[in-house]
Amino acid sequence: MIDKSQSAGKPIKTAISDEDGIDFAIIELFFFAYRDFTSDPDQILADYGFGRAHHRVLHFVNRRPGLTVAELLDVLKITKQSLARVLKQLIDTDHIVQVQGPRDRRQRELYPTAKGRALALALARPQSRRIRAALEDSGTTERVTIERFLEAMVNPELRAQIDIVPAQTSGKNHGDH
Amino acid sequence: MIDKSQSAGKPIKTAISDEDGIDFAIIELFFFAYRDFTSDPDQILADYGFGRAHHRVLHFVNRRPGLTVAELLDVLKITKQSLARVLKQLIDTDHIVQVQGPRDRRQRELYPTAKGRALALALARPQSRRIRAALEDSGTTERVTIERFLEAMVNPELRAQIDIVPAQTSGKNHGDH
DNA sequence: AAATTACGTCAATAGTACTGACATAATTCC
DNA sequence: GGAATTATGTCAGTACTATTGACGTAATTT
């Protein structure tokens, strides 16, 4: 079964390192961190028969109530067809409602219901707890450092999406805090 | 189509905020950051007909050459069946080779070939570039702050996985393996 | 010799995503 | 007013990653 007979290349026994100045340390940390970060809500979602896609939709509808389907697609960077099933389920289970657009009646504004709001909070709670613990554990008083780093990781053209968010977050919108 | 006729809850029009002290700012940044972070290698992988799963396997085999299938499953936290197809493809395309375990001949040690090493580097390069740019853009001289934060985001029981990594990264491991 | 372990494989299924095509209603353009 | 465009919904077909459960084989341990 272990073929390797003829054409196979020889095994390289040395670990990949910082050749070419590649930052494997943070690459790997990012992977582990995101994996565990998403595992928190995944457990709750399983009880509802929902997946990560439902979470993302629910999150953004709660963050930006009244956004349209097109805007949601743009934020999530997925296709209409991918959103369709997930959104339908959230509407059928009364987590999200559609309201006809006031100016443009073709548009459907998406709003959370009380039920949808509650679920969004329940999902975010363990994640927020993890973040708070991480900020404490890592002894970081400068939360801004992390925020700025993460924001800088996002494609520049897409950073606008982040700023369209309510308030007092990235320190870019001049609201109170 | 916009039903809302009877039982549907009423739309909530206010954005979710920092109710309950929930840290939506970082939650959202983490989502966007990871999304764009993975989009870099995704483009390259598409040329090979590979997906993210292939990337992860390739990454860890390069990081810890000689790890066994069981160890790999443990790091990735997926099932044997999920790994099977992906690993088979990487072996068939001569990116990874299996070597019979020296002590225990049931084990298959996994090693990258020159081809597999090259691909791993090619995939990591844009990610590392993005990280470097983010560190610069965010004006963070203290790279350690970010590293500590990300590590603290990982489940404590699972932090061991990170430390088993080659060297000079987290400064926690004593000697090679 | 029996039990356990490491690995591989098969079958069946699910969740999330994709592309492309088409339909409908509403708005905008000429 | 009629034509083009836009916003949304839906259908068909496909792909990738993942799941659980079962079974087989070879090697090691008890």
Side-chain angles (χ1 to χ4, degrees):
Chain A
M1 245 316 78
I2 296 178
D3 202 353
K4 200 163 77 78
S5 43
Q6 350 85 310
S7 69
K10 293 178 213 77
I12 294 180
K13 305 230 169 179
T14 60
I16 212 167
S17 68
D18 289 357
E19 315 175 37
D20 305 273
I22 289 182
D23 202 335
F24 285 105
I26 291 188
I27 288 175
E28 211 162 294
L29 281 170
F30 212 24
F31 165 71
F32 284 121
Y34 196 75
R35 186 193 62 178
D36 291 348
F37 176 71
T38 51
S39 74
D40 293 330
D42 280 356
Q43 306 224 312
I44 300 169
L45 289 161
D47 299 336
Y48 293 76
F50 290 164
R52 238 171 249 182
H54 299 84
H55 186 190
R56 291 197 284 267
V57 170
L58 201 51
H59 171 90
F60 284 107
V61 170
N62 272 281
R63 281 288 267 180
R64 296 167 56 177
L67 51 37
T68 64
V69 172
E71 287 168 339
L72 187 53
L73 289 175
D74 190 52
V75 171
L76 296 176
K77 291 269 170 298
I78 58 173
T79 58
K80 206 192 331 182
Q81 295 70 20
S82 297
L83 176 61
R85 186 189 101 267
V86 170
L87 184 56
K88 188 173 186 333
Q89 283 178 286
L90 287 168
I91 290 169
D92 289 347
T93 54
D94 195 35
H95 288 96
I96 290 178
V97 287
Q98 288 179 319
V99 174
Q100 205 170 52
R103 276 168 287 278
D104 187 335
R105 289 185 306 176
R106 287 171 307 179
Q107 294 184 330
R108 310 274 187 264
E109 295 185 342
L110 303 173
Y111 292 94
T113 62
K115 192 176 169 189
R117 170 64 54 103
L119 182 53
L121 280 168
L123 293 170
R125 210 165 281 130
Q127 293 190 308
S128 187
R129 219 180 287 131
R130 183 183 289 266
I131 289 169
R132 190 172 346 108
L135 285 171
E136 285 166 12
D137 284 14
S138 62
T140 305
T141 46
E142 323 152 66
R143 167 216 172 78
V144 187
T145 305
I146 312 289
E147 283 194 351
R148 272 203 288 250
F149 172 76
L150 291 175
E151 183 167 353
M153 286 287 289
V154 179
N155 282 340
E157 339 60 281
L158 306 176
R159 278 178 210 156
Q161 296 179 341
I162 299 172
D163 295 333
I164 305 177
V165 125
Q168 100 273 52
T169 62
S170 68
K172 277 235 186 103
N173 354 12
H174 19 271
D176 55 36
H177 146 74
Chain B
M1 258 293 103
I2 295 180
D3 201 353
K4 199 161 73 83
S5 43
Q6 351 84 313
S7 69
K10 293 178 213 80
I12 295 180
K13 306 231 171 183
T14 59
I16 212 169
S17 68
D18 289 359
E19 315 174 38
D20 305 272
I22 290 184
D23 201 336
F24 284 106
I26 291 188
I27 288 175
E28 211 163 298
L29 282 169
F30 211 25
F31 165 71
F32 284 122
Y34 196 76
R35 184 192 66 178
D36 290 350
F37 176 71
T38 52
S39 73
D40 293 331
D42 280 356
Q43 306 224 310
I44 300 169
L45 288 161
D47 299 336
Y48 293 76
F50 290 163
R52 241 172 247 181
H54 299 83
H55 186 189
R56 291 196 283 267
V57 170
L58 201 51
H59 171 89
F60 284 107
V61 169
N62 272 282
R63 281 288 269 179
R64 296 168 57 180
L67 50 38
T68 64
V69 171
E71 287 169 339
L72 187 53
L73 289 174
D74 191 52
V75 171
L76 296 176
K77 293 267 170 297
I78 58 173
T79 59
K80 205 191 338 180
Q81 295 69 21
S82 296
L83 176 61
R85 188 189 100 268
V86 170
L87 184 55
K88 190 174 186 331
Q89 285 179 286
L90 288 168
I91 290 169
D92 288 348
T93 54
D94 195 34
H95 288 95
I96 291 179
V97 287
Q98 287 180 320
V99 175
Q100 204 171 53
R103 275 168 288 278
D104 188 335
R105 288 185 306 176
R106 287 171 307 179
Q107 295 184 330
R108 310 273 189 264
E109 295 185 340
L110 303 172
Y111 293 94
T113 62
K115 191 174 169 190
R117 171 63 54 102
L119 181 53
L121 281 168
L123 293 169
R125 210 164 282 131
Q127 294 190 308
S128 186
R129 218 180 288 133
R130 183 183 290 266
I131 290 169
R132 192 176 342 113
L135 286 170
E136 285 166 12
D137 285 13
S138 62
T140 306
T141 46
E142 323 152 66
R143 166 216 173 79
V144 187
T145 305
I146 312 290
E147 283 194 354
R148 272 203 289 250
F149 171 76
L150 291 175
E151 184 167 352
M153 287 287 289
V154 179
N155 283 340
E157 343 55 284
L158 304 177
R159 277 176 211 158
Q161 295 179 343
I162 300 172
D163 296 333
I164 305 176
V165 124
Q168 98 273 54
T169 60
S170 66
K172 276 230 187 116
N173 31 339
H174 13 271
D176 58 35
H177 94 133

